[in-house]
Structure formats: C-alpha cells, structure tokens
Amino acid sequence: MDLRVVEQSESELVIEIGGEDHTFMNVLKGALLELDSVAAATYDQNPEQSGGQTEPLLSLKTEDGENPLDALEEGAARVNEQLTEFQTAYESAAQ
C-alpha cells in the first residue's frame, strides 16, 4: 500500500491510496464515517471519469478543530479492530 497526500488543510485531506480497490476503500470509508470527528468521507476510483486516475483518492473532511490525519489514523485503527474481531469469530466458528 502506497500513500501520497494530494491536498491537506486544517480540516480536509485528500490522499491517494495506491494498490487498493473498492473492497478496502469501502471498509475504510465506513469506519471513518462512524467517527464523530468526521463530517464527510468519500473516495473516487474511476479512471474513465478521473482523467486517467488509476489509484483511489480518499477525501476526508473533519469537524472544526479536528486534524484529518488524526481522524485517518483513528479510522485505520477501527478497521484493524474490525478485522481482528472477524478473525476471532471465524477461528471460533471453524473449531
């Protein structure tokens, strides 16, 4: 996974997340939208409509005073927690 900040301000962040597809991007977007500090989160991954863009761009807007990089870190931690919970449930069910 390659990350590249495209735009950043006090409350907004656009980051390219290379090597990922809709599956991961939807999970990350969903985790971000669950956070109180996030006002909006979306991504774009459509080369035909994006001037040849091939990697997804995550757009994140936070509530006033919230750092979007901190929100991204918290959202990624939530994804990790969800994956750990799923793995534990799967391993229990497989026994």
Side-chain angles (χ1 to χ4, degrees):
M1 175 184 302
D2 295 318
L3 304 177
R4 182 177 67 90
V5 174
V6 176
E7 294 178 33
Q8 183 178 2
S9 69
E10 287 185 18
S11 63
E12 294 185 36
L13 176 68
V14 177
I15 188 166
E16 183 180 69
I17 303 179
E20 296 303 330
D21 60 15
H22 292 290
T23 304
F24 177 76
M25 296 305 295
N26 275 313
V27 171
L28 179 58
K29 179 184 78 169
L32 288 167
L33 290 172
E34 291 175 359
L35 302 176
D36 291 337
S37 61
V38 173
T42 188
Y43 75 94
D44 179 31
Q45 184 176 9
N46 190 337
E48 291 79 30
Q49 295 178 355
S50 303
Q53 168 201 334
T54 58
E55 302 293 355
L57 291 175
L58 176 72
S59 299
L60 173 64
K61 182 173 180 167
T62 56
E63 299 294 341
D64 289 337
E66 299 293 334
N67 184 326
L69 285 173
D70 291 343
L72 180 59
E73 183 177 357
E74 188 176 350
R78 281 194 151 201
V79 170
N80 189 41
E81 290 171 12
Q82 292 170 342
L83 289 172
T84 301
E85 289 174 13
F86 178 80
Q87 181 179 10
T88 301
Y90 175 80
E91 289 171 353
S92 294
Q95 294 179 2

